[in-house]
Amino acid sequence: MPNKLPTLPIPQAAGIGLRSPHIAEMLSRRPSAGWLEVHAENYMGGSAAVAALENLRETYPLSVHGVGLSLGSASGVDRDHLERMRKVCVRFEPDLVSEHLAWSGADGAYLNDLLPLRYDEAALAIVANNIKLVQDTLKRRILIENLSAYIEVSGSTMTEAEFLAELVKRTGCGLLLDVNNVYVSAHNLDFDAAAFIEVLPAEAIGEIHLAGHAVNDVGDDTVLIDDHGSRVPPAVWSLYAGAIEKFGPRPTLIEWDTDVPVLDVLLGEAMWADMLAASIAFRKRQDSLPVSAPKQSAPGTVVPFERDAPRGQMPVLAAFDAIKPARLAADRDVRRNRHAAA
């Protein structure tokens, strides 16, 4: 029986997906990362990776992400798989648990993919029942992730975003907003990505995913593939900025599953997510302040209060701008005094 793990809530900051090539380095370096996320199915047995995760879990907050519950299956959730998921949650005590709005198995047959649903009342009842079973078994709220899609199932009576919002009402679940998935699906199925995000209830967003995608030319068209194999592209960063504007900062994960780079690349992407969220939060705080004439800093003060910094400027840049003139004046004084002493 493992030792009791500490309670480590996931902060409103960026984390990284823990991948096997990085485990040894994570154990030795313990680099600064907001939190870690793992795929539940990789930790359902006994292995060196399980022992390593128990070790890392003592340092880092943890999110467990499922890919095999097949919440969209009309035949229901596989009870054996759910029990294995429950044991993972008991063993590692993650702060967040999530799964996909998709199906991947039915009648004992399983597919190695996450497939879209027809978004109608019948599917809503099936998925809601499956989510209730999972939440009752795990004794916690789970987050449901929107899918990256390449085909659209005919006969839907609502959008995926409307479907997710209704699931929140019926089950009390939260949402994992995968911004890259929204971008990929919006391109492939030709809908407005920003409008999709606008429909989601802000209070339900418990986690955000960011990743890169592949661009494939198909004749005169392009198809985006959610391969998690590159840096977050500018268009996805832009969509993420809009989501943070709407929802406020959220725990944000950098996902990278193919062509996995060195660990520092993932940590760098997480740093950019934190800086972008901090910049938006800074501007919002400034916008909420009454407009008044800039206050003069006291002599010797090099870093202004937030309310004195130029509107819309990131804190670190505002600090540099404040430091530069004060530093130059100080340097002049030093040189003048040295000249007088000579």
Side-chain angles (χ1 to χ4, degrees):
M1 187 71 180
N3 296 328
K4 180 73 174 175
L5 293 168
T7 299
L8 296 173
I10 289 184
Q12 309 283 351
I16 60 172
L18 181 64
R19 301 296 178 253
S20 55
H22 300 148
I23 288 177
E25 189 175 357
M26 287 294 297
L27 287 167
S28 61
R29 281 179 53 193
R30 308 276 172 161
S32 176
W35 49 284
L36 303 178
E37 184 168 280
V38 298
H39 287 169
E41 285 72 13
N42 292 336
Y43 295 88
M44 289 180 170
S47 67
V50 172
L53 182 59
E54 283 185 342
N55 192 325
L56 291 170
R57 171 63 183 79
E58 295 179 353
T59 302
Y60 299 98
L62 181 67
S63 173
V64 164
H65 190 46
V67 297
L69 281 177
S70 191
L71 294 176
S73 294
S75 53
V77 172
D78 183 325
R79 301 296 183 107
D80 292 336
H81 190 87
L82 179 56
E83 175 59 17
R84 291 190 287 271
M85 184 107 170
R86 188 191 69 79
K87 289 180 177 176
V88 169
C89 292
V90 169
R91 185 170 196 168
F92 295 105
E93 299 190 31
D95 193 54
L96 298 176
V97 177
S98 54
E99 248 292 353
H100 300 82
L101 179 60
W103 67 279
S104 55
D107 297 330
Y110 294 90
L111 304 168
N112 190 27
D113 208 342
L114 299 170
L115 301 173
L117 312 174
R118 182 176 61 241
Y119 302 118
D120 62 8
E121 185 60 36
L124 195 54
I126 290 168
V127 179
N129 283 336
N130 288 340
I131 290 175
K132 287 178 181 176
L133 173 63
V134 172
Q135 293 188 142
D136 288 346
T137 303
L138 301 184
K139 300 185 183 337
R140 62 165 67 222
R141 184 183 79 153
I142 65 170
L143 308 178
I144 305 301
E145 179 181 352
N146 56 291
L147 200 63
S148 58
Y150 312 97
I151 59 171
E152 191 171 13
V153 180
S154 63
S156 292
T157 57
M158 62 188 84
T159 66
E160 183 186 13
E162 292 168 342
F163 194 95
L164 286 164
E166 189 61 28
L167 279 177
V168 171
K169 290 180 185 176
R170 296 193 184 192
T171 69
C173 71
L175 298 177
L176 192 170
L177 169 59
D178 191 315
V179 175
N180 184 57
N181 284 358
V182 175
Y183 185 80
V184 166
S185 297
H187 174 87
N188 292 339
L189 305 184
D190 193 24
F191 64 79
D192 186 335
F196 180 106
I197 292 175
E198 192 65 30
V199 171
L200 302 178
E203 66 281 1
I205 306 297
E207 184 180 335
I208 291 177
H209 277 184
L210 293 173
H213 55 254
V215 180
N216 290 349
D217 292 327
V218 181
D220 295 330
D221 206 351
T222 59
V223 176
L224 304 187
I225 305 295
D226 178 36
D227 67 346
H228 299 178
S230 55
R231 292 181 185 272
V232 179
V236 175
W237 281 122
S238 178
L239 197 59
Y240 173 66
I244 294 299
E245 286 273 1
K246 173 177 170 58
F247 303 129
R250 290 291 192 276
T252 298
L253 180 82
I254 302 298
E255 285 189 302
W256 206 312
D257 294 307
T258 60
D259 294 329
V260 177
V262 296
L263 176 60
D264 284 343
V265 173
L266 269 69
L267 296 171
E269 293 285 274
M271 180 194 70
W272 282 115
D274 280 337
M275 289 182 67
L276 181 56
S279 177
I280 292 170
F282 178 76
R283 183 183 52 72
K284 282 187 169 183
R285 288 196 299 272
Q286 285 195 312
D287 288 347
S288 68
L289 296 172
V291 177
S292 59
K295 296 183 178 180
Q296 296 296 321
S297 298
T301 301
V302 294
V303 180
F305 289 108
E306 187 170 307
R307 62 177 178 273
D308 300 330
R311 286 182 177 273
Q313 192 171 26
M314 290 183 66
V316 64
L317 297 181
F320 273 123
D321 280 350
I323 288 170
K324 278 191 296 186
R327 177 66 183 272
L328 289 173
D331 288 348
R332 282 197 301 272
D333 291 342
V334 169
R335 287 196 297 272
R336 188 180 301 116
N337 292 336
R338 285 177 177 170
H339 180 73

